[in-house]
């Protein structure tokens, strides 16, 4: 039976080479001046947004509460916000747009480590322009922020956090170097696998996940080898969009449950952390389902994932594990230990994974022992 489900996303999605040329027309009704939130390098944004009345707010690394506080000050003279960059720039832009019209501290509104208050006033309108493929953050309704003092990353989440438009122009991803291409692409793949087996999966996002996995499996090795492969870049930008549409409406799972606290503990790209955990998360999930819920539909879904990724119609669920392990290795993904995780840190990590919001959407609840096993295997 189809449904029931709910689906929400950006008001408008403009996709394709040249999509960036729609920006001026989309920005025009939103106000006189934009705050453009970017990563360290603003050159490309300045070039792409030439002619737009704008202030620029740039930062390095992942967005923290302190960065968002600074951005909110910078937004005072602006009527709308543009996030131009990877997931970090887009998440910071969303949080700044959300908090500019609201009083209080960013922490008041954060899940898990904060008060989780709902936004009293609607965010400033905001537009999303991704330059990586990607996190899918251009169409999600949460912003992931780091809090160094808590040692975790947590989400500011609101149904009001819907972008006015997402402009996805694969041209902007052509310059991404192989390392970023690999980690962001593996994040995309993880964000297509997890919503597909999620306990909140629905018919609409299932279709997106299957299509996205097929495209990403074929295009990711190509863009890693040749970043100027325009067809493959467009495929990955589209797969990333599908991943954002899916995760925002069907949730994630245990791999992102790990990525959230790991992102607070280690200096490593989010996608690389997801990739390091992905094969082990899949393996333990499959075993737990066989042991405790052998009739669960997620087992059939893991079989479909395996068949789709390996392009072998006889593949079994476990073949997905081997495929993902090989893919990670060929894209240069390292183990968690190489990013600085020590075996002694596993108990604290596992306690945080158990309370992460993504963990709640895992197809089957995992025991603390199973969580520790995933961490040990990913070490
Ligand atoms: Zn992710």
């Amino acid at each position: 039976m189809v449904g029931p489900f709910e689906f929400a996303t950006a008001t408008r999605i403009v996709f394709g080479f040249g999509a960036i040329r729609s920006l001026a027309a989309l920005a025009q009704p939103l106000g006189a001046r934009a705050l453009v939130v970017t990563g360290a390098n603003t050159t490309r944004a300045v070039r792409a947004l030439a002619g737009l009345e704008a202030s620029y707010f740039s930062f390095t690394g992942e967005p923290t509460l302190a960065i968002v506080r600074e951005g909110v000050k910078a937004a005072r003279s602006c009527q709308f916000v543009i996030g131009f960059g990877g997931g970090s720039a887009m998440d910071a832009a969303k949080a700044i747009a959300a908090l500019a019209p609201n009083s209080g501290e960013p922490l008041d509104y954060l899940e898990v480590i904060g008060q989780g208050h709902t936004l009293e006033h609607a965010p400033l309108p905001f537009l999303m322009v991704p330059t990586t493929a990607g996190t899918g953050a251009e169409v999600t309704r949460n912003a992931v922020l780091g809090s160094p003092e808590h040692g975790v990353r947590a989400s500011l989440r609101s149904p009001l956090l819907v972008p006015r438009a997402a402009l996805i122009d694969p041209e902007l991803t052509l310059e991404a170097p192989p390392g970023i291409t690999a980690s962001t692409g593996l994040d995309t793949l993880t964000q297509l696998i997890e919503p597909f087996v999620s306990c909140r999966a629905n018919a609409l996002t299932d279709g997106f996940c299957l299509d996205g996995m097929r495209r990403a499996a074929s295009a990711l090795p190509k863009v890693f080898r040749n970043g100027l492969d325009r067809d493959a870049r467009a495929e990955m930008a589209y797969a990333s969009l599908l991943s954002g549409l899916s995760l925002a409406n069907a949730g994630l799972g245990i791999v992102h449950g790990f990525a959230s606290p790991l992102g607070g503990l280690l200096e490593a790209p989010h996608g690389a952390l997801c990739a390091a955990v992905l094969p082990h998360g899949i393996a333990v999930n499959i075993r737990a389902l066989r042991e405790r819920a052998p009739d669960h539909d997620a087992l059939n879904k893991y079989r479909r994932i395996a068949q789709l990724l390996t392009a072998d119609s006889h593949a079994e669920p476990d073949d997905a594990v081997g495929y993902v392990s090989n893919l990670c290795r060929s894209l240069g993904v390292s183990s968690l230990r190489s990013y600085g995780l020590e075996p002694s840190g596993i108990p604290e990590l596992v306690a945080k994974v158990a309370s992460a919001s993504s963990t709640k959407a895992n197809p089957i609840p995992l025991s603390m022992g199973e969580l520790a096993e995933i961490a040990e295997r990913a070490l």
Side-chain angles (χ1 to χ4, degrees), residues 8-299:
T9 191
T11 308
R12 201 157 161 184
I13 295 170
V14 186
F15 183 94
F17 283 98
I20 190 70
R21 291 198 287 274
S22 309
L23 191 113
L26 289 165
Q28 200 271 332
L30 301 183
R33 191 172 190 84
L35 179 74
V36 180
V37 181
T38 71
N41 184 353
T42 55
T43 319
R44 205 157 36 140
V46 171
R47 196 175 42 196
L49 308 178
L52 190 82
E53 192 72 30
S55 305
Y56 284 80
F57 178 76
S58 79
F59 65 97
T60 50
E62 303 207 324
T64 60
L65 302 180
I67 286 168
V68 169
R69 270 185 222 114
E70 285 301 304
V72 167
K73 282 186 209 152
R76 279 196 190 124
S77 56
C78 301
Q79 292 76 48
F80 65 105
V81 178
I82 299 174
F84 187 105
S88 294
M90 288 190 284
D91 278 356
K94 277 192 240 179
I96 291 165
L99 295 174
N102 285 287
S103 58
E105 276 287 293
L107 204 51
D108 297 343
Y109 301 95
L110 276 197
E111 290 179 346
V112 186
I113 55 170
Q115 307 295 318
H117 287 169
T118 50
L119 296 173
E120 200 177 332
H121 303 288
L124 294 179
F126 58 97
L127 307 175
M128 297 277 102
V129 184
T131 61
T132 60
T135 61
E138 65 271 20
V139 289
T140 62
R141 289 169 291 164
N142 66 309
V144 183
L145 305 178
S147 171
E149 64 260 45
H150 294 88
V152 292
R153 299 158 87 236
S155 270
L156 195 163
R157 199 181 303 270
S158 167
L160 300 174
L161 220 49
V162 175
R164 290 295 174 97
L167 283 94
I168 303 134
D169 190 334
E171 187 86 39
L172 298 171
T173 69
L174 293 179
E175 291 171 23
I180 289 176
T181 300
S183 62
T184 52
L186 286 163
D187 186 26
T188 293
L189 185 65
T190 310
Q191 294 176 173
L192 291 161
I193 292 173
E194 293 210 285
F196 186 57
V197 294
S198 155
C199 61
R200 292 169 46 209
N202 68 63
L204 187 57
T205 53
D206 279 358
F208 290 160
C209 292
L210 287 169
D211 188 28
M213 273 186 263
R214 186 177 56 77
R215 291 173 191 272
S218 158
L220 182 50
K222 291 181 191 163
V223 289
F224 184 66
R225 279 196 304 271
N226 174 17
L228 298 177
D229 183 333
R230 296 172 70 84
D231 283 345
R233 285 290 196 189
E235 290 285 306
M236 285 310 299
Y238 184 55
S240 175
L241 167 65
L242 293 176
S243 82
L245 296 173
S246 302
L247 80 90
N249 292 283
L252 288 160
I254 199 61
V255 181
H256 275 80
F258 270 93
S260 162
L262 283 171
L265 292 170
L266 310 176
E267 289 286 325
H270 165 72
L273 296 173
C274 287
V277 177
L278 181 60
H280 314 294
I282 295 175
V284 171
N285 264 350
I286 290 173
R287 197 189 61 208
L289 286 161
R290 282 195 181 123
E291 284 172 3
R292 302 199 287 280
D295 298 326
H296 200 297
D297 190 39
L299 275 174

Side-chain angles (χ1 to χ4, degrees), residues 327-341:
L327 178 66
C328 290
R329 209 170 303 127
S330 71
L331 298 184
V333 168
S334 305
S335 66
L336 293 179
R337 194 191 287 263
S338 71
Y339 295 121
L341 186 70

